[in-house]
Amino acid sequence: MGLDIVHTLPKRGLLIGGEWRQARSGRDFLTLNPATGSPIASIPEAGVEDVDAAVASARRAIDEGAWGRMTGADRARVLRRLADLVERHRERFVELEAIDAGKPLAASRRQDVPAAIDCLAYYSGWADKIHGEVVPARADALTYVTRKPVGVVAAITPWNFPLMNAVWKIAPALAAGCAVVLKPAELTPLSSLLLGELAIEAGLPAGALNILPGFGTVAGQALIEHPGVDKISFTGSPAVGKHIMGVAARDCKHVTLELGGKSPNIVFADADLQAAANASSSGVFFNAGQVCSSGTRIFVQRAVYERFLELFADRASRLKLGDPFDPETTMGPVISEKQRDRVMSYVETGKREGAALIAGGEALDRPGYFIAPTIFADADNLMTIAREEIFGPVATVIPFDEPDAAIRDANDSPFSLAAAVWTRDVTRAHVMADRLRAGTVWINTYGPTDTRLPWGGMGGESGVGRDLGRAALDNYTEQKTVWLQLRA
Ligand code: NAD
């Protein structure tokens, strides 16, 4: 299986002020195929001067350019055209995510690309409906509140959902009238560059979207420190998220942080066990486990524990690990050698701490960074593999007796992104949803998200703020109160 790379690759450059440029330093970096470890393409590497130029062009787009003069209806049309263009080029995106991020073709056909199109279309619908209100505070005054774009937005994205995460930030920011400087993850820049190409074709004015492929510690750092940036919207690791919050505090930039997860997935004895086992398998092994909301801590009520393990392990054994371009493949590689080694070190820790390895536990002896779906049973919530985010295909299964114990252990985690409950008891389902500390709770399913529904953590290692839904528009707008005195 292969790819006509030349035909599919996007422009390789820095998108600044509506033009494709080389890096000022003249430097390039290589992006690699995680299924083989081989280079795909070399990409200009943004440095500090390029960040300055991109932020200046974003500011000009708002203050002096066509972008700042556009109405909400104009912005809606541009976003709609971009949604249509992504739709038209959907197979190119699917191929780029396969070669650059190791995603099986079917996975991004089903999830990443349709979700990106839906997100662009949804915020296109909002662009001309962002308005203020008259709040009659006093009889002798006309008092009203308007919403203004927050300004220049730095969007910094990770490698696990490169296109989708970029669109989650760009679409609401542009709908609100902000200008964006996007720094995609250095491991997966390709789909963001194609998005930039299509944004120009859609008629997005110069400077409204700037794209700076490059490294976190160089371009990313320069961007978060830049005084011309008003808002940082970040998805990535908790360590970098905390660092960003600290840097942003220096001049009180707005910050949204979508960080990590160690999500509890709680299976009660009265659940549809087969459905729970199937969804728990995709809940933890989808995208080779590199999902912030992976259901990595699976709590199972003792009465069905053994049966669940059988069904779960059976389902996991059916996953077909392999070349992302093979239509039979259901699980691809992890993103890099570093990530593979990190995941494998957690596997060793799990064994050392006494969890029972009942499936997987090894990296495949072939080029690329493949790890077999791995299941630890008989674990407890205090083990390292139950506390730290592994970000690979590793499940930790923990038995429990009483519902209160499940809630206590589920909430005993520094993460707070998502959780799931499997039960046929409707009251119990709602009680659990109420008591679980998580930004999203799924009942009798695992993992769906939708553009219309807010997404984010409840603090700690999962971060603060929300992407998606109407809530995301608040990230990109400021409220302004106007008080007109009618009578002295
Ligand atoms: P990462 O934090 O290493 O990198 C994320 C981005 O931050 C990259 O673009 C990187 O270049 C940039 N970056 C790194 N250092 C920087 C710095 N000093 N200043 C500015 N930018 C910097 O994360 P990752 O390893 O690419 O992604 C995996 C992590 O992302 C996991 O922890 C995962 O849970 C999290 N994630 C969360 C969500 C969510 O919605 N909550 C979604 C996807 C991924």
Side-chain angles (χ1 to χ4, degrees), residues 156-161 165 168 183-186 214-217 220-221 224 234-238 240 243-244 258-261 291-292 389 391 417 455 462:
I156 301 178
T157 50
W159 40 259
N160 57 343
F161 291 93
N165 276 152
W168 282 16
K183 206 227 47 85
E186 48 271 50
F215 290 87
T217 46
Q221 183 68 27
I224 61 175
F234 172 77
T235 298
S237 62
V240 175
H243 168 71
I244 287 177
E258 301 287 348
L259 308 179
V291 183
C292 50
E389 185 177 47
F391 226 57
L417 185 61
W455 177 256
S462 290

Side-chain angles (χ1 to χ4, degrees), residues 360-383:
E362 75 229 339
L364 303 201
D365 184 16
R366 59 174 278 177
Y369 315 117
F370 293 88
I371 300 174
T374 297
I375 303 175
F376 281 108
D378 305 345
D380 72 50
N381 196 48
L382 296 176
M383 289 178 175

Side-chain angles (χ1 to χ4, degrees), residues 290-311:
Q290 303 165 114
V291 183
C292 50
S293 56
S294 276
T296 44
R297 286 187 297 151
I298 307 178
F299 295 93
V300 184
Q301 205 160 23
R302 190 111 30 203
V304 294
Y305 179 72
E306 294 299 335
R307 179 73 187 128
F308 175 85
L309 276 184
E310 273 167 39
L311 295 172

Side-chain angles (χ1 to χ4, degrees), residues 2-3 14 83 106 116 121 143 178 240 280 334 356 399 415 427 457 476:
L3 164 73
L14 313 179
T143 45
C178 295
V240 175
S280 300
V334 298
F415 297 95
T427 305
Y476 302 107

Side-chain angles (χ1 to χ4, degrees), residues 278-434:
N278 294 353
S280 300
S281 170
S282 51
V284 66
F285 298 126
F286 178 64
N287 212 37
Q290 303 165 114
V291 183
C292 50
S293 56
S294 276
T296 44
R297 286 187 297 151
I298 307 178
F299 295 93
V300 184
Q301 205 160 23
R302 190 111 30 203
V304 294
Y305 179 72
E306 294 299 335
R307 179 73 187 128
F308 175 85
L309 276 184
E310 273 167 39
L311 295 172
F312 178 54
D314 174 62
R315 183 73 177 190
S317 72
R318 292 165 198 257
L319 287 164
K320 187 154 179 315
L321 217 62
D323 178 358
F325 284 92
D326 181 341
E328 301 288 307
T329 296
T330 50
M331 192 169 130
V334 298
I335 192 70
S336 63
E337 189 177 350
K338 185 169 152 220
Q339 188 67 8
R340 182 196 60 198
D341 294 346
R342 180 171 184 270
V343 173
M344 292 311 297
S345 81
Y346 275 107
V347 171
E348 290 312 312
T349 304
K351 289 195 232 166
R352 211 174 40 247
E353 292 186 351
L357 181 67
I358 63 163
E362 75 229 339
L364 303 201
D365 184 16
R366 59 174 278 177
Y369 315 117
F370 293 88
I371 300 174
T374 297
I375 303 175
F376 281 108
D378 305 345
D380 72 50
N381 196 48
L382 296 176
M383 289 178 175
T384 307
I385 53 168
R387 302 213 70 79
E388 296 183 11
E389 185 177 47
I390 299 175
F391 226 57
V394 181
T396 300
V397 189
I398 304 171
F400 74 92
D401 294 301
E402 297 305 320
D404 278 352
I407 292 178
R408 191 195 57 226
D409 280 356
N411 286 345
D412 177 13
S413 169
F415 297 95
S416 61
L417 185 61
V421 181
W422 295 85
T423 179
R424 289 187 167 99
D425 178 335
V426 70
T427 305
R428 173 187 284 155
H430 287 292
V431 168
M432 296 293 290
D434 184 49

